[in-house]
Amino acid sequence: SSYSRIDLLFTPGEETHRIIDCRIFPITLSDHSPVLFEWDLRQKNTSLLNDPTVVQLVRTELNYYVELNTNPETSPLILWD
């Protein structure tokens, strides 16, 4: 009856040159740590959500996550968190 999660941020390999900083902070109120991800958006291609491929990937992955994790034992708050 316990939950665990790994806090991750994914980015395409060709975008790693934009990563300025990434830190995991101490756990305070929840069962996972806040993650700070600083990304340099001053370079080209700053409108990822205007890219149909990226939008479709996000939709697909979110639907998969919700489908995989929705069950009677998991509250909607845990699922969203």
Side-chain angles (χ1 to χ4, degrees):
S1 295
S2 69
Y3 295 92
S4 66
R5 72 182 267 166
I6 299 173
D7 297 307
L8 300 170
L9 293 167
F10 292 98
T11 186
E14 64 270 11
E15 297 292 323
T16 57
H17 67 281
R18 293 183 191 218
I19 299 171
I20 296 169
D21 192 17
C22 186
R23 287 185 260 161
I24 300 174
F25 289 95
I27 296 172
T28 53
L29 297 174
S30 113
D31 65 340
H32 59 91
S33 301
V35 177
L36 168 76
F37 181 74
E38 191 174 350
W39 199 19
D40 184 0
L41 296 177
R42 291 174 292 175
Q43 300 175 30
K44 67 177 186 87
N45 195 15
T46 60
S47 57
L48 289 176
L49 292 178
N50 289 328
D51 181 336
T53 305
V54 172
V55 171
Q56 185 56 48
L57 174 66
V58 171
R59 278 190 182 133
T60 301
E61 291 302 316
L62 280 173
N63 286 331
Y64 176 70
Y65 173 82
V66 170
E67 192 175 301
L68 184 67
N69 291 288
T70 301
N71 60 61
E73 293 82 37
T74 304
S75 80
L77 292 174
I78 295 291
L79 184 63
W80 177 250
D81 196 27

